[in-house]
Amino acid sequence: MCRTLPTPADTHELGRRLGGVVEAGDLVVLAGPLGAGKTAFTQGIGAGLGVLGRVTSPTFVIARLHRPAPDGRGTALVHVDAYRLGGIGELEDLDLGLDLDRAVVVVEWGEGLAESLTDEHLLVRMDRRPDDTREAVLTAAGPSWTRRLAAL
C-alpha cells in the first residue's frame, strides 16, 4: 500500500489510523531518510493508542516507553531508534522480545535489523519528495498484517 502525505498532519493522521488497529505484540519497522516523517508517524500511532505524554524521538536514549493513558486503548508503545545501534546484538540487548508481549514496538531505522524479532511485522518505508510531501509505502509481513493493512 502506498500513500502520499501532503502535510505533516497527514503523516500524523495515517499513524493515528494505524494506532487504531495495532495490538500488543505488534512490531512496526520504520525506514527512510532524515526528515521523512518517521517520528511524526509514530506520534500518530501514539495518539491512536491513547498513550500518556508526548511521543518524541528516542535518538539519544535509544528507546522510550509510553504508558497507556487511563482513557486510551490500554496498550503501551515502545519507541526505539536503531540508528546508533551497531547491529542485531545491540538490538537484542534491549530485550524488545519482552515488550512484544505487552506493547506495540515501533523501531525507527530498523529495516534489516528488527524484522528478526518476530515472524509478523509491518514495514513502513517513508520518503520526502522535493516538493516536501511525504510518501509512505506500507508492506505487510504475515497474514495478520495483510488483513489489517487492507482495513486502513
Side-chain angles (χ1 to χ4, degrees):
M1 164 192 294
C2 182
R3 295 285 171 93
T4 299
L5 307 165
T7 68
D10 295 314
T11 301
H12 186 273
E13 176 59 19
L14 180 59
R16 188 196 64 72
R17 289 180 51 215
L18 182 61
V21 300
V22 292
E23 303 166 354
D26 283 341
L27 173 65
V28 179
V29 180
L30 303 181
L34 286 171
K38 295 180 297 292
T39 299
F41 186 78
T42 306
Q43 289 168 339
I45 293 172
L49 285 169
V51 299
L52 291 171
R54 187 170 166 238
V55 175
T56 60
S57 176
T59 299
F60 297 105
V61 296
I62 308 299
R64 292 185 193 274
L65 170 64
H66 300 277
R67 299 192 188 285
D71 59 346
R73 292 193 37 222
T75 304
L77 169 65
V78 176
H79 184 193
V80 179
D81 187 324
Y83 184 78
R84 294 177 32 224
L85 297 181
I88 189 65
E90 289 185 20
L91 184 65
E92 289 173 351
D93 286 345
L94 296 175
D95 283 332
L96 296 176
L98 297 173
D99 293 317
L100 278 170
D101 291 336
R102 61 183 180 271
V104 172
V105 176
V106 175
V107 182
E108 293 190 33
W109 302 97
E111 187 175 24
L113 286 175
E115 299 92 341
S116 65
L117 295 172
T118 182
D119 291 335
E120 292 198 29
H121 63 274
L122 179 66
L123 174 62
V124 181
R125 285 189 184 99
M126 302 187 76
D127 200 15
R128 183 177 180 179
R129 296 178 178 170
D131 66 357
D132 212 29
T133 61
R134 271 61 172 183
E135 182 176 87
V137 177
L138 291 79
T139 306
S144 172
W145 275 113
T146 300
R147 185 181 65 256
R148 286 186 280 164
L149 195 55
L152 280 180

